[in-house]
C-alpha cells in the first residue's frame, strides 16, 4: 500500500468517505474513490441486505489504523458565514458543519472545531499543521501548492452587492476603476487580481465587514457567495444594499 503523509492520508480518507456516500466534499483532500474492503482471501467482505454497518466498517484496514492513531480531527469553524459555516451561541452551525458531523459519525471520528480566526489565519493554520480540515473552500492554483481537494459538495455563484442607488452596476466589468471589497484570502481576491486588475481591492476579514464597507461608502461593491450574501443582507436588514450581479 501507499506510504502516505499524515495530511495526504487525512485528505484521501475524507475524499473516499464522501464518495462512498455518493456525496462529495471540499475539505483539504485529494480525489479518491472508495476502495472495497478486502477479506484475507482477497474477496470483498459480504454485506447482508438491510445490515446496519458500524462506524468505519466500510474503510480499508490502513484507514482504520489511521483513525485509531488519529481519533480527532481539527476543523475550521467561521463566526458568521451563514448559511454554510458560522458560530451561534458558542456552537458551530451551518450546512458545512452538519455535513462534517455526518461524515465523522459515519467513520467513527471525533471533531474538534476551531473558531475565532479569520479566513486568512485559517489558511495559515493549514500551512503550519495546526488545522487538519477546512470546509467550504474553493480550489485555486495557489492553494493546490499546499492543500489537497476533493470534489465540491456545493456549487453556488458569486454575486456583487452595491448600494441600492447604484442602478448602473449590473456586471462585474461595471466596477472597473472602482473599489470592491472581498474577504482577505478568499478565492475572490485572487480571481479579481487576475481577471480584473482594473478594480481596486478593499480587503477585510469577512463578508459582513465588506457589506458594511459598502454601506458606509468605504467600498463601491462587495463580492462573495450568493447564499451567504443573501442571508447576511436579510439577517442584518441591510435594505440600503442590493444584489447587482449573479
Amino acid at each position: 500500500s501507499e506510504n502516505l503523509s499524515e495530511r495526504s492520508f487525512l485528505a484521501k480518507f475524507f475524499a473516499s468517505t464522501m464518495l462512498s456516500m455518493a456525496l462529495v466534499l471540499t475539505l483539504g483532500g485529494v480525489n479518491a474513490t472508495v476502495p472495497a474492503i478486502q477479506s484475507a482471501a482477497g474477496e470483498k467482505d459480504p454485506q447482508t441486505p438491510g445490515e446496519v454497518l458500524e462506524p468505519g466498517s466500510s474503510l480499508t484496514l490502513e484507514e482504520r489504523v489511521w483513525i485509531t492513531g488519529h481519533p480527532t480531527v481539527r476543523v475550521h469553524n467561521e463566526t458568521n458565514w451563514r448559511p454554510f459555516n458560522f458560530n451561534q451561541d458558542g456552537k458551530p452551525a451551518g450546512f458545512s458543519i452538519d455535513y462534517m458531523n455526518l461524515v465523522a459519525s459515519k467513520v467513527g471520528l471525533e471533531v474538534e472545531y476551531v473558531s475565532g480566526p479569520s479566513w486568512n489565519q485559517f489558511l495559515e493554520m493549514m500551512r503550519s499543521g495546526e488545522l487538519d480540515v477546512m470546509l467550504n473552500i474553493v480550489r485555486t492554483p495557489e492553494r493546490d501548492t499546499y492543500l489537497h481537494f476533493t470534489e465540491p459538495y456545493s456549487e453556488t455563484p458569486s454575486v456583487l452587492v452595491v448600494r441600492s442607488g447604484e442602478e448602473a452596476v449590473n456586471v462585474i466589468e461595471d466596477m472597473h476603476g472602482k473599489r470592491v471589497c472581498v474577504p482577505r484570502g478568499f478565492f475572490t481576491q485572487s480571481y479579481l487580481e487576475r481577471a480584473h486588475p482594473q478594480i481596486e481591492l478593499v480587503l477585510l476579514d469577512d463578508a459582513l465587514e465588506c457589506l458594511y464597507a459598502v454601506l458606509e461608502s468605504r467600498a463601491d461593491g462587495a463580492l462573495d457567495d450568493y447564499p451567504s450574501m443573501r442571508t447576511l443582507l436579510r439577517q442584518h436588514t441591510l435594505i440600503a444594499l442590493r444584489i447587482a450581479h449573479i
Side-chain angles (χ1 to χ4, degrees), residues 160-163 175-182 192 198-202 213-214 216-223:
L160 181 68
V161 174
V162 299
R163 289 181 290 277
M175 299 304 291
H176 288 182
K178 298 183 179 181
R179 301 162 300 170
V180 173
C181 186
V182 297
L192 290 178
Q198 305 92 332
I199 291 175
E200 178 184 345
L201 287 180
V202 177
V214 177
E216 298 164 2
S217 298
R218 292 181 284 118
D220 301 302
L223 187 67

Side-chain angles (χ1 to χ4, degrees), residues 17-212:
T17 304
M18 301 313 138
L19 292 173
S20 72
M21 298 163 60
L23 296 169
V24 286
L25 177 63
T26 300
L27 294 156
V30 298
N31 300 326
T33 56
V34 179
I37 300 296
Q38 302 289 316
S39 67
E43 298 177 350
K44 295 180 181 179
D45 287 345
Q47 179 181 344
T48 303
E51 176 184 3
V52 178
L53 298 178
E54 292 297 319
S57 62
S58 62
L59 303 176
T60 65
L61 176 60
E62 185 182 15
E63 287 165 339
R64 294 179 190 180
V65 169
W66 190 92
I67 292 175
T68 300
H70 307 80
T72 302
V73 290
R74 299 160 298 180
V75 180
H76 103 286
N77 171 228
E78 298 175 54
T79 55
N80 59 5
W81 206 60
R82 297 172 183 264
F84 292 103
N85 194 336
F86 56 98
N87 194 287
Q88 183 170 312
D89 300 324
K91 296 181 179 180
F95 175 78
S96 294
I97 300 299
D98 290 344
Y99 202 107
M100 183 70 238
N101 290 339
L102 176 62
V103 171
S105 70
K106 291 287 186 180
V107 299
L109 272 173
E110 294 294 325
V111 179
E112 175 188 336
Y113 286 107
V114 179
S115 306
S118 67
W119 180 264
N120 225 31
Q121 290 170 331
F122 279 128
L123 288 175
E124 290 303 317
M125 292 172 71
M126 290 293 286
R127 285 180 181 270
S128 65
E130 299 172 76
L131 194 66
D132 300 309
V133 175
M134 282 191 75
L135 304 169
N136 44 259
I137 181 171
V138 174
R139 185 173 188 172
T140 68
E142 190 272 335
R143 290 173 182 171
D144 269 336
T145 63
Y146 64 98
L147 295 176
H148 297 291
F149 291 86
T150 67
E151 295 296 323
Y153 64 93
S154 177
E155 295 185 18
T156 60
S158 293
V159 296
L160 181 68
V161 174
V162 299
R163 289 181 290 277
S164 296
E166 298 288 346
E167 298 299 332
V169 177
N170 294 292
V171 295
I172 191 66
E173 286 78 10
D174 292 332
M175 299 304 291
H176 288 182
K178 298 183 179 181
R179 301 162 300 170
V180 173
C181 186
V182 297
R184 186 179 289 104
F186 266 37
F187 84 98
T188 45
Q189 177 184 348
S190 59
Y191 164 73
L192 290 178
E193 288 173 340
R194 181 183 70 256
H196 298 279
Q198 305 92 332
I199 291 175
E200 178 184 345
L201 287 180
V202 177
L203 303 178
L204 295 177
D205 283 339
D206 58 42
L208 183 59
E209 286 191 22
C210 282
L211 289 177
Y212 275 103

